[in-house]
Amino acid sequence: MAEIFQKLQLYFSYPFVWYALIVGLLIALCSSLLGVTLVLKRFSYIGDGLSHVAFGAMAVAGIFGLTNNNYIVIPMTVISAILLLRTGQNAKINGDAAIAMISVGALAIGYLLMNKFPSSANISGDVCTTLFGSTSILTLRQDDVILCVVMSVIVIAAFLLFYHKIFAVTFDENFVRASGVRANVYNLVIAIITALIIVLAMNLVGSLLISALIIFPALSAMRVFRSFKSVIICSAIVSVVCAGSGIFISILSGTPVGSTIVAADIAVFLIFCIISLFIRRKA
Amino acid sequence: MKRKIMFTAAILSAALLCSCSQNAPDSKQQALINEIVSDAKSVTLATEKPAEEAAAAPERETTASLKKESSEPVADYDVDIDLTEMNPTMIYATVYDIVTEPEQYLGKTLKVNGFFDTGYDESLDTRYYFVVIPDATACCLQGLEFKADGRNYPDDYPETRTDICVRGTLDKYNELGNDYYYIKTDMLVET
């Protein structure tokens, strides 16, 4: 035990470990807040689709050689989120087909561009890092952390500010429209927040594992709690605890950060499933 | 609603156009590292050699200097950053930090395990030596340049792709107007 504390003390003497922890916890909190809404709106898979768009955008950013990929990745992901969430319902190609089309299309184009215009000699390394997050959370710079903190504050503020409207849009969009509230505007807010979270989460778990970060905490909370508010609070706690423990385990044992966090999320989901079985039996 | 979407798209496009582009400074050393990284992907990493292959391989003769070094004990001391005691994830992250923020590590002593590689720049008639460190998934390789005074290539160096341990102080030099960082080694041994 003393050895573990010594190791932690050593590792936390490096600023990049603190950066990873701060960004990891913030991303986990933001993704859990929106996860409940997305799961209830049956848009669980949108995280996957948008993360693939972000991957494609990252490849495009690599061609331009920008100092910060987010200048291209954020706008492209936000536009895709708006198209998928907002216009998807009225378009000729809608729902899961639109998500699948954009998802695989962006992934293919992204990989094609990465191969044709490599930004570094190690293409497989770049792809590995972008898809699985490899160690990217531990390679964040101070600017990345500031950007993440600012975006997280925007996401949390927007969620708290529009909490009641998001709640209404999540459960009954038609009723919201009938009562004179502009549901489209709030769908747009959800789309933009979703895109921002996806871009942030790519650093933490990579684009292939983002869906897990959005879905698992929400589903875990739904096993035990029933009200929207309690599910969101529980989801946030589960997500933050899993992200924190995942980061600790991975820096201590040398496992990849992203998949360790997702493994922790899966473990908690199973525990909550068992708890819900006991609760049902008692009831 | 279409207007709103168009408006949002216009704002985002403006933000995109405002972004600035800056190319990384031209670095001969970086080009050599990239070349080494590309080459390394086409060969099996020394650390990943199958057991049968390792057993079947003839025992390679250690170079004269390395033999000499092993017979003459090297003074041991506590280094500031001992990468040999870290797990692969932390090694990768630490080396990345050293490469991107070298000024913070200048003058610090470090000990690194990796494999040896070298590159030659004809225009400068200079040979560069690297300790290449793969990450946990072996997809991302990073190289740190080192210099060992009093050694001649190839006699006093191990064969390329040989696992080595390098210890020394992070120092810098200027070449063609650019600062480059390297490990000024006081120990170079095969592992």
Side-chain angles (χ1 to χ4, degrees):
Chain A
M1 202 65 184
E3 197 185 332
I4 291 174
F5 279 114
Q6 260 183 349
K7 255 189 177 181
L8 280 176
Q9 200 178 7
L10 169 71
Y11 290 161
F12 275 93
S13 65
Y14 294 101
F16 60 82
V17 177
W18 281 106
Y19 295 162
L21 193 66
I22 293 166
V23 170
L25 297 183
L26 282 174
I27 292 170
L29 179 64
C30 292
S31 60
S32 65
L33 291 180
L34 207 70
V36 179
T37 302
L38 290 176
V39 169
L40 290 171
K41 279 173 80 71
R42 300 190 183 281
F43 271 119
S44 298
Y45 217 58
I46 197 162
D48 210 56
L50 288 179
S51 62
H52 291 177
V53 171
F55 173 79
M58 220 170 244
V60 174
I63 297 172
F64 289 107
L66 299 179
T67 48
N68 191 336
N69 287 344
N70 286 328
Y71 291 124
I72 280 186
V73 178
I74 291 175
M76 280 179 81
T77 315
V78 168
I79 290 168
S80 302
I82 293 168
L83 291 173
L84 283 174
L85 275 173
R86 173 60 201 91
T87 61
Q89 296 143 359
N90 305 324
K92 282 179 183 172
I93 305 168
N94 56 14
D96 57 344
I99 293 175
M101 193 181 73
I102 289 186
S103 170
V104 293
L107 196 63
I109 298 295
Y111 188 55
L112 189 74
L113 291 175
M114 265 190 176
N115 273 272
K116 204 68 191 160
F117 308 99
S119 56
S120 77
N122 191 3
I123 297 168
S124 61
D126 291 346
V127 173
C128 177
T129 304
T130 318
L131 290 183
F132 296 103
S134 289
T135 48
S136 52
I137 189 79
L138 285 164
T139 56
L140 296 175
R141 318 301 335 150
Q142 202 173 9
D143 294 348
D144 301 320
V145 182
I146 293 167
L147 179 73
C148 181
V149 170
V150 169
M151 279 167 65
S152 299
V153 168
I154 291 170
V155 168
I156 294 166
F159 190 84
L160 292 175
L161 202 65
F162 300 114
Y163 174 77
H164 293 289
K165 307 291 182 193
I166 289 173
F167 171 79
V169 170
T170 302
F171 283 100
D172 199 339
E173 210 172 306
N174 291 330
F175 174 76
V176 170
R177 278 206 184 90
S179 56
V181 176
R182 287 184 297 178
N184 292 339
V185 175
Y186 296 105
N187 275 329
L188 187 70
V189 170
I190 293 172
I192 292 172
I193 293 175
T194 307
L196 290 180
I197 290 170
I198 296 299
V199 176
L200 287 177
M202 275 186 79
N203 279 325
L204 183 61
V205 292
S207 65
L208 285 185
L209 302 174
I210 285 175
S211 290
L213 213 62
I214 291 173
I215 297 165
F216 275 113
L219 288 177
S220 300
M222 282 175 196
R223 299 299 95 189
V224 176
F225 295 96
R226 288 287 169 263
S227 77
F228 188 67
K229 197 175 183 179
S230 56
V231 166
I232 282 185
I233 292 170
C234 177
S235 169
I237 293 169
V238 166
S239 188
V240 168
V241 169
C242 288
S245 50
I247 291 171
F248 272 98
I249 293 168
S250 77
I251 60 169
L252 280 173
S253 61
T255 52
V257 185
S259 36
T260 310
I261 292 172
V262 176
D265 275 318
I266 294 169
V268 170
F269 174 71
L270 293 174
I271 292 167
F272 273 58
C273 283
I274 295 166
I275 293 171
S276 75
L277 281 176
F278 280 109
I279 292 172
R280 271 187 212 165
R281 274 188 187 178
K282 276 194 174 179
Chain B
M1 197 58 208
K2 274 184 183 172
R3 274 187 190 173
K4 276 179 191 158
I5 295 171
M6 292 300 288
F7 180 68
T8 312
I11 287 179
L12 295 171
S13 305
L16 192 154
L17 290 170
C18 288
S19 60
C20 51
S21 173
Q22 186 189 319
N23 292 323
D26 183 37
S27 156
K28 285 177 185 292
Q29 280 82 353
Q30 190 54 51
L32 286 169
I33 291 172
N34 288 345
E35 198 179 297
I36 287 165
V37 165
S38 295
D39 292 347
K41 283 186 294 176
S42 61
V43 297
T44 311
L45 295 178
T47 49
E48 291 185 320
K49 270 180 190 168
E52 322 80 82
E53 191 186 318
E59 196 177 326
R60 200 174 55 75
E61 249 185 60
T62 316
T63 57
S65 171
L66 292 169
K67 266 183 185 171
K68 186 183 164 192
E69 191 143 25
S70 59
S71 61
E72 287 173 10
V74 184
D76 200 16
Y77 59 87
D78 283 338
V79 290
D80 296 319
I81 301 151
D82 192 348
L83 291 160
T84 61
E85 295 291 319
M86 290 182 182
N87 64 54
T89 302
M90 279 303 294
I91 292 172
Y92 181 83
T94 310
V95 174
Y96 183 88
D97 206 44
I98 292 170
V99 171
T100 51
E101 306 273 354
E103 283 293 333
Q104 290 183 7
Y105 293 89
L106 210 57
K108 288 193 174 175
T109 50
L110 46 137
K111 198 173 168 186
V112 187
N113 277 341
F115 65 82
F116 173 72
D117 217 321
T118 179
Y120 180 70
D121 186 340
E122 283 180 10
S123 62
L124 292 172
D125 188 27
T126 309
R127 181 165 285 281
Y128 301 96
Y129 307 97
F130 302 96
V131 51
V132 183
I133 310 126
D135 80 329
T137 50
C139 70
C140 308
L141 301 161
Q142 295 177 110
L144 286 174
E145 188 186 345
F146 70 85
K147 288 181 182 182
D149 288 340
R151 287 175 185 266
N152 296 314
Y153 187 81
D155 297 340
D156 300 340
Y157 285 89
E159 283 183 6
T160 54
R161 317 289 177 205
T162 303
D163 286 338
I164 55 168
C165 179
V166 169
R167 188 188 66 190
T169 311
L170 196 74
D171 206 345
K172 72 175 174 181
Y173 64 94
N174 193 285
E175 194 170 77
L176 301 173
N178 291 320
D179 283 335
Y180 296 104
Y181 298 83
Y182 71 102
I183 303 170
K184 192 176 181 183
T185 58
D186 57 30
M187 186 188 86
L188 164 63
V189 288
E190 281 187 43
T191 54

